């Protein structure tokens, strides 16, 4: 169970991580504790599965990257191997098994259109992959998600 301190720390971490030489120290000052408490709490929350990863979000389009959502029809026996291969691409941000004809959906961001086409072609050629739909965004509606842990 999350404590009030855990929740306050996670709220800051989501969108307010200070850009500073010592960001954990700056967070500690905001929370009225010492830097070691922030670091140890983050370690514990990661070990408990509350934090999957910490990293920056960037505007991939502004940086020249391209992305897409892809849906793949995969034979059931090949699904674990195909999912593992897709997950090995550094630009894959999400990969989910779903019910329906297209049973594996993933999002991928790569440096350019050529790299994206090549990755999708490689995935299409994997054993057990029957079809792949490339569903690039035509308009962006959602920019970020923040969970207020009150």
């Amino acid at each position: 169970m999350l404590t009030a301190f855990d929740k306050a720390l996670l709220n800051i971490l989501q969108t307010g991580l200070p850009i500073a030489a010592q960001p954990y120290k700056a967070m500690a000052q905001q929370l009225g504790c010492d830097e070691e408490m922030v670091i140890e709490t983050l370690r514990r929350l990661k070990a408990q599965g509350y934090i999957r990863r910490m990293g920056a979000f960037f505007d991939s389009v502004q940086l020249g990257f391209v992305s897409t959502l892809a849906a793949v029809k995969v034979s059931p026996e090949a699904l674990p191997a195909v999912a593992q291969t897709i997950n090995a691409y550094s630009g894959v941000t999400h990969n989910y098994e779903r019910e329906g004809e297209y049973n594996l959906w993933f999002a991928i961001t790569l440096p350019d259109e050529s790299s994206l086409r090549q990755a999708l072609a490689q995935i299409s050629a994997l054993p057990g992959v029957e079809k792949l739909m490339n569903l690039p965004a035509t308009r962006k509606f959602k920019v970020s998600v923040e969970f207020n842990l009150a």
Side-chain angles (χ1 to χ4, degrees):
M1 176 160 262
L2 293 172
T3 68
F5 181 82
D6 295 343
K7 291 176 183 179
L9 177 59
L10 289 171
N11 282 336
I12 293 170
L13 188 63
Q14 286 183 77
T15 58
L17 183 65
I19 299 174
Q22 296 177 300
Y24 300 127
K25 187 173 187 175
M27 291 170 71
Q29 290 171 344
Q30 284 181 268
L31 294 165
C33 66
D34 62 23
E35 182 180 25
E36 188 59 32
M37 184 172 179
V38 168
I39 293 168
E40 287 305 316
T41 302
L42 290 173
R43 283 187 182 132
R44 177 178 52 80
L45 292 172
K46 180 147 177 43
Q48 292 173 338
Y50 289 103
I51 299 173
R52 234 185 345 211
R53 70 175 201 85
M54 289 176 27
F57 283 98
F58 59 91
D59 186 333
S60 58
V61 173
Q62 179 121 0
L63 293 172
F65 285 69
V66 293
S67 63
T68 195
L69 173 67
V72 188
K73 180 180 179 183
V74 183
S75 62
E77 65 277 359
L79 193 66
V82 170
Q84 184 176 7
T85 300
I86 290 170
N87 289 346
Y89 284 87
S90 63
V92 171
T93 59
H94 301 80
N95 190 2
Y96 296 101
E97 180 180 359
R98 301 279 185 181
E99 291 184 14
E101 179 181 3
Y102 289 88
N103 52 351
L104 194 62
W105 292 70
F106 64 94
I108 185 169
T109 302
L110 291 171
D112 53 56
E113 191 66 41
S114 174
S115 299
L116 182 61
R117 277 194 310 273
Q118 182 179 8
L120 294 178
Q122 290 169 348
I123 292 166
S124 292
L126 291 171
V129 173
E130 298 170 20
K131 294 181 190 175
L132 184 143
M133 272 195 307
N134 180 12
L135 304 162
T138 56
R139 185 172 165 197
K140 190 175 189 177
F141 292 98
K142 181 175 155 183
V143 177
S144 69
V145 175
E146 183 178 351
F147 300 99
N148 185 358
L149 302 172

